[in-house]
Amino acid sequence: MEMIEKGLLEEMGLELNLKPWATDGGAHFWEVPKTAFRSVYDDQPNAHKKFMEKLDACIRNHDKEIEKMCNFHHQGFVDAITELLKVRTDAEKLKVQVTDTNRRFQDAGKEVIVQTEDIIRCRIQQRNITTVVEKLQLCLPVLEMYSKLKEQMSAKRYYSALKTMEQLENVYFPRVSQYRFCQLMIENLPKLREDIKEISMSDLKDFLESIRKHSDKIGETAMKQAQQQKLFSVILQKQNNVKFGKTVYINDRIPEERNEIVLKPVFEEEDENEEEVLTVQDLVDFSPVYQCLHIYSVLGDEETFENYYRKQRKKQARLVLQPQSNMHETVDGYRRYFTQIVGFFVVEDHILHVTQGLVTRAYTDELWNMALSKIIAVLRAHSSYCTDPDLVLELKNLIVIFADTLQGYGFPVNRLFDLLFEIRDQYNETLLKKWAGVFRDIFEEDNYSPIPIVNEEEYKTVISKFPFQDPDLEKQSFPKKLPMSQSVPHIYIQVKEFIYASLKFSESLHRSSTEIDDMLRKSTNLLLTRTLSSCLLNLIKKPHIGLTELVQIIINTTHLEQACKYLEDFITNITNISQETVHTTRLYGLSTFKDARHAAEGEIYTKLNQKIDEFVQLADYDWTMSEPDGRASGYLMDLINFLRSIFQVFTHLPCLPTLSPCQDSKGILCS
């Protein structure tokens, strides 16, 4: 592309599509493609010559225009030169003035320069001070935090110290990492962390040792609270029963006995002035556990701490579950065993609920199942040595409180109540042995004579102890005699006492009234069919028991048999379970006392035959008599008198046995 004036191109007769390129004093220049010049030479003959002619003509025209323009502006140029000559003089004066002014400014500026240099020097110092202050402001928080860290370490606030270390590392140290003191601090932090770790672990070991020693106190407190809560529930239930007019008993003594059964404290009461209710937090300082857990969590080693804690607690659990060899001898041994176990699991339950992940529900359940199996094995083994029913009953009460306490903390205790059913059978066995001795003592002290009644007061006293009813006897005047001997009301009272004792074990077993009723009836049946029956049979077989005593025993068993229905009513009043219930167990007193009567009748037959044989064997016969003298022998008269007195005794029997020589002791029939 070339640049050329448009007018020139038009004069040369070139018609092109041109684009403006530039202007120069009113003349416009256009971009001309190189093809345009090529067309000048190629398109027409003699085009170059014509082009040059026209170009010369254009140049001459432009020269004329330039000359005209110069002539037009010449006068102005002359005037301008003249003006410049006039100004030169003033310019020289101005130059002198400016030079003088500059000299004076230079002289005056020397002092300013000195002051300026001082100002610059002060500004540099000020800038340096500002820089130092800024750096110190960066370092001071670091130093303050590090000093705070040292104070926290001295005050044993290790968790806060670890948090301070984190702030130092994440926030403060990066600001001053270029300083050497910061590097020293950074190098010292790992050592401080290890020190904290060792100290917290030492505190945890001291804590574990402390709770191992004080677990019995913790357990005792927890069991007392559970017992108090249970007593409160019982009292509230009794108040509700009174409010709605409900009562289950017809004998005033039964509620008192039951109240004694339920409300008898297993633990000694605290001082009456003590009003504060202690909790596990009051007895144990758990801060070492929390602190150690937080420290290991911050250090990222929480799993190590959890494994160590669980391992140590399992070891302590095995120690707690190991009983003393003489634990079965006193109730204190069992109490100490239970309180230690309760204390252990109360602590674990607290740790479960106040920490996250240190112990889990699965871990505590596994630990409890292991402990429960060991506890059941220990109780089963040691309770087998208990021969005192009172000790077995106290053991049962301890187990119930133990189970209720741990159940309140969410541990399953059904297996403990199943164990109580096993111990109940053992308790019944010890009761049966105890009552066998009681029955033997009653039979030994009995005189086997009808009870003499002098006045109505004595009559009411006997009737209040034994449910005897005889309209004919009531019509008789005092003094009079009751057909049974003293042993009958005593045995009846002792059977009721046995029921009371059996009922004591059935309390608080979380069983229905129907089940308790069934328990009482079965244990009473065992007492009648095994213990009392055995004592009666042994009594009947004793050599010193004569025919009169045997007759009285038959009378006694008859009245005891009739009293069995009152014992059933007595149990019904206790349990409030009707005898018409389909599954209600009946008392076997009828068969028990009938067998005893049959044995007594057989013994009467045997002893009577022996006595007759003795009379015959002791007879003194006169073998030299030639003829009878018409009188019976003396031994025969004695035998007849003996039989007359014996038959007189038989008249008191409710049914008179037929004593036939052809019948054996089992074939005696009532006439």
Side-chain angles (χ1 to χ4, degrees):
M1 302 292 290
E2 297 292 340
M3 183 181 69
I4 191 168
E5 189 177 359
K6 184 179 180 183
L8 179 60
L9 295 175
E10 291 176 350
E11 290 177 0
M12 292 186 296
L14 296 177
E15 295 181 0
L16 301 171
N17 293 326
L18 303 179
K19 296 180 180 179
W21 186 78
T23 59
D24 185 11
H28 297 276
F29 295 91
W30 302 83
E31 290 186 22
V32 180
K34 290 182 180 181
T35 55
F37 290 99
R38 190 176 295 116
S39 64
V40 172
Y41 293 98
D42 296 341
D43 291 345
Q44 300 176 5
N46 298 321
H48 177 264
K49 182 178 179 180
K50 293 179 180 181
F51 177 74
M52 293 302 296
E53 290 175 355
K54 290 183 179 182
L55 183 62
D56 289 336
C58 286
I59 291 172
R60 284 193 298 271
N61 291 332
H62 281 292
D63 288 340
K64 290 179 181 180
E65 290 178 359
I66 292 171
E67 184 179 355
K68 289 179 181 181
M69 187 177 295
C70 290
N71 292 330
F72 180 76
H73 293 289
H74 175 72
Q75 187 60 40
F77 176 74
V78 172
D79 294 339
I81 294 299
T82 303
E83 290 294 329
L84 287 174
L85 291 174
K86 292 179 180 179
V87 172
R88 184 173 63 179
T89 303
D90 295 334
E92 290 177 353
K93 293 180 180 179
L94 179 63
K95 179 180 178 182
V96 172
Q97 292 177 356
V98 169
T99 303
D100 183 61
T101 302
N102 180 57
R103 179 181 56 77
R104 284 181 292 153
F105 270 120
Q106 292 292 331
D107 294 339
K110 290 180 180 179
E111 184 178 355
V112 175
I113 291 172
V114 174
Q115 294 178 355
T116 302
E117 291 176 352
D118 292 340
I119 290 173
I120 292 172
R121 189 165 49 253
C122 290
R123 290 290 177 86
I124 292 173
Q125 292 177 354
Q126 184 180 6
R127 186 175 66 248
N128 292 339
I129 292 172
T130 302
T131 303
V132 171
V133 170
E134 291 176 354
K135 298 301 181 182
L136 287 176
Q137 287 177 346
L138 286 177
C139 295
L140 279 177
V142 178
L143 296 174
E144 289 175 355
M145 289 296 291
Y146 197 79
S147 176
K148 179 181 178 182
L149 172 63
K150 290 294 185 181
E151 292 177 357
Q152 291 170 342
M153 291 291 293
S154 300
K156 297 182 178 182
R157 296 165 53 199
Y158 302 117
Y159 179 73
S160 300
L162 289 174
K163 289 296 184 181
T164 303
M165 290 183 194
E166 286 186 355
Q167 290 182 344
L168 284 171
E169 289 178 331
N170 299 328
V171 179
Y172 294 95
F173 283 165
R175 301 175 183 174
V176 294
S177 59
Q178 67 273 22
Y179 301 112
R180 192 174 68 175
F181 78 90
C182 179
Q183 297 299 324
L184 295 175
M185 291 180 181
I186 292 174
E187 293 173 359
N188 195 35
L189 290 187
K191 182 179 180 300
L192 292 177
R193 282 195 172 93
E194 288 300 321
D195 292 342
I196 291 175
K197 202 172 182 180
E198 293 176 1
I199 294 171
S200 62
M201 183 57 70
S202 176
D203 292 342
L204 176 66
K205 291 178 180 178
D206 295 340
F207 167 79
L208 293 175
E209 181 65 21
S210 175
I211 61 173
R212 188 184 69 83
K213 293 180 179 179
H214 297 90
S215 59
D216 54 345
K217 180 64 176 177
I218 299 171
E220 182 179 354
T221 302
M223 293 177 73
K224 282 181 181 178
Q225 292 175 357
Q227 187 182 19
Q228 290 171 358
Q229 184 177 2
K230 184 176 181 180
L231 296 180
F232 177 77
S233 299
V234 171
I235 294 173
L236 185 62
Q237 183 178 5
K238 289 181 62 179
Q239 291 176 348
N240 291 335
N241 290 340
V242 172
K243 179 179 179 180
F244 292 101
K246 295 181 180 180
T247 180
V248 181
Y249 314 104
I250 60 173
N251 193 316
D252 292 338
R253 182 184 174 190
I254 299 173
E256 295 175 359
E257 291 290 336
R258 288 173 59 88
N259 187 45
E260 180 182 357
I261 293 167
V262 177
L263 302 181
K264 181 180 179 181
V266 179
F267 297 94
E268 295 295 331
E269 294 294 335
E270 296 291 333
D271 188 0
E272 294 180 357
N273 296 327
E274 183 181 1
E275 297 181 356
E276 182 180 3
V277 179
L278 297 178
T279 62
V280 65
Q281 294 91 338
D282 299 324
L283 298 174
V284 181
D285 180 17
F286 288 93
S287 58
V289 180
Y290 307 149
Q291 180 172 272
C292 197
L293 176 61
H294 292 158
I295 288 172
Y296 273 77
S297 299
V298 172
L299 296 176
D301 203 9
E302 185 176 1
E303 184 177 356
T304 301
F305 171 72
E306 292 175 1
N307 293 335
Y308 176 81
Y309 177 85
R310 295 181 184 182
K311 182 179 179 181
Q312 294 300 316
R313 289 297 281 166
K314 284 184 178 180
K315 289 181 179 179
Q316 290 186 349
R318 294 187 183 97
L319 292 176
V320 167
L321 295 172
Q322 191 66 30
Q324 297 180 354
S325 58
N326 60 343
M327 184 179 71
H328 61 277
E329 295 178 358
T330 61
V331 71
D332 291 335
Y334 288 107
R335 182 182 293 113
R336 190 177 305 109
Y337 181 69
F338 286 130
T339 54
Q340 288 180 349
I341 296 174
V342 170
F344 177 89
F345 282 100
V346 166
V347 170
E348 289 304 290
D349 181 78
H350 180 78
I351 294 294
L352 172 66
H353 287 88
V354 299
T355 61
Q356 295 181 352
L358 180 55
V359 295
T360 61
R361 175 56 68 182
Y363 162 79
T364 55
D365 289 343
E366 178 186 358
L367 198 61
W368 169 245
N369 290 331
M370 181 271 292
L372 188 58
S373 299
K374 179 66 175 178
I375 293 168
I376 291 175
V378 168
L379 292 179
R380 187 178 285 124
H382 282 263
S383 64
S384 62
Y385 297 109
C386 296
T387 57
D388 183 6
D390 294 333
L391 179 59
V392 178
L393 183 61
E394 290 182 349
L395 172 60
K396 168 259 174 182
N397 291 332
L398 279 174
I399 294 176
V400 170
I401 296 297
F402 172 75
D404 289 342
T405 302
L406 290 177
Q407 190 175 32
Y409 286 92
F411 295 99
V413 294
N414 293 333
R415 292 173 62 189
L416 285 175
F417 286 102
D418 294 338
L419 174 66
L420 284 175
F421 277 90
E422 298 179 20
I423 299 178
R424 182 201 63 186
D425 296 335
Q426 179 186 348
Y427 176 72
N428 286 336
E429 290 297 326
T430 58
L431 286 181
L432 292 175
K433 292 179 181 178
K434 179 180 179 180
W435 256 258
V438 171
F439 289 150
R440 284 194 297 269
D441 293 340
I442 291 175
F443 290 141
E444 289 293 334
E445 296 173 0
D446 193 12
N447 57 8
Y448 298 99
S449 299
I451 301 175
I453 302 298
V454 178
N455 51 42
E456 186 174 358
E457 183 178 354
E458 291 184 3
Y459 180 78
K460 290 181 179 180
T461 301
V462 175
I463 295 303
S464 64
K465 296 178 181 179
F466 182 76
F468 175 76
Q469 295 180 356
D470 189 347
D472 295 335
L473 184 63
E474 290 180 359
K475 295 177 182 179
Q476 296 179 11
S477 60
F478 297 99
K480 53 187 175 183
K481 292 183 178 181
L482 299 181
M484 64 279 190
S485 64
Q486 290 287 352
S487 63
V488 172
H490 290 165
I491 289 175
Y492 182 80
I493 291 173
Q494 287 302 320
V495 172
K496 291 175 64 177
E497 291 295 333
F498 177 87
I499 296 173
Y500 288 139
S502 182
L503 177 63
K504 289 179 182 179
F505 197 93
S506 301
E507 290 290 339
S508 305
L509 292 185
H510 305 293
R511 298 294 174 176
S512 63
S513 299
T514 303
E515 291 176 305
I516 294 176
D517 181 85
D518 187 63
M519 294 178 196
L520 294 179
R521 292 178 185 273
K522 287 182 178 179
S523 59
T524 305
N525 277 331
L526 285 176
L527 179 71
L528 297 177
T529 58
R530 190 201 299 179
T531 305
L532 182 55
S533 177
S534 177
C535 291
L536 285 172
L537 293 177
N538 292 334
L539 175 66
I540 291 170
K541 297 295 182 180
K542 287 185 176 181
H544 70 276
I545 298 297
L547 293 173
T548 304
E549 288 82 0
L550 290 172
V551 170
Q552 188 61 52
I553 290 174
I554 293 174
I555 296 173
N556 290 348
T557 55
T558 302
H559 289 285
L560 287 173
E561 179 184 340
Q562 294 172 354
C564 283
K565 65 178 182 178
Y566 296 100
L567 291 176
E568 290 187 343
D569 294 338
F570 176 74
I571 295 175
T572 299
N573 292 331
I574 291 177
T575 61
N576 201 27
I577 299 299
S578 174
Q579 299 182 35
E580 283 72 23
T581 305
V582 177
H583 300 289
T584 302
T585 304
R586 311 295 297 183
L587 295 183
Y588 301 145
L590 182 62
S591 59
T592 299
F593 296 117
K594 184 179 293 185
D595 293 341
R597 282 200 302 276
H598 286 169
E601 291 169 357
E603 194 66 22
I604 289 174
Y605 175 75
T606 301
K607 287 183 178 295
L608 188 57
N609 286 338
Q610 289 177 354
K611 200 67 175 177
I612 293 173
D613 292 340
E614 289 176 3
F615 275 104
V616 174
Q617 291 173 2
L618 295 176
D620 186 14
Y621 295 100
D622 185 6
W623 300 103
T624 62
M625 182 181 298
S626 59
E627 60 182 15
D629 57 2
R631 292 182 303 152
S633 300
Y635 79 90
L636 188 58
M637 297 302 297
D638 293 338
L639 177 58
I640 293 173
N641 292 332
F642 169 74
L643 292 175
R644 183 179 292 111
S645 63
I646 290 300
F647 291 152
Q648 184 65 32
V649 174
F650 287 166
T651 59
H652 298 290
L653 290 173
C655 55
L656 184 63
T658 302
L659 302 177
S660 174
C662 64
Q663 292 178 316
D664 59 8
S665 60
K666 298 297 182 181
I668 300 177
L669 303 176
C670 293
S671 60

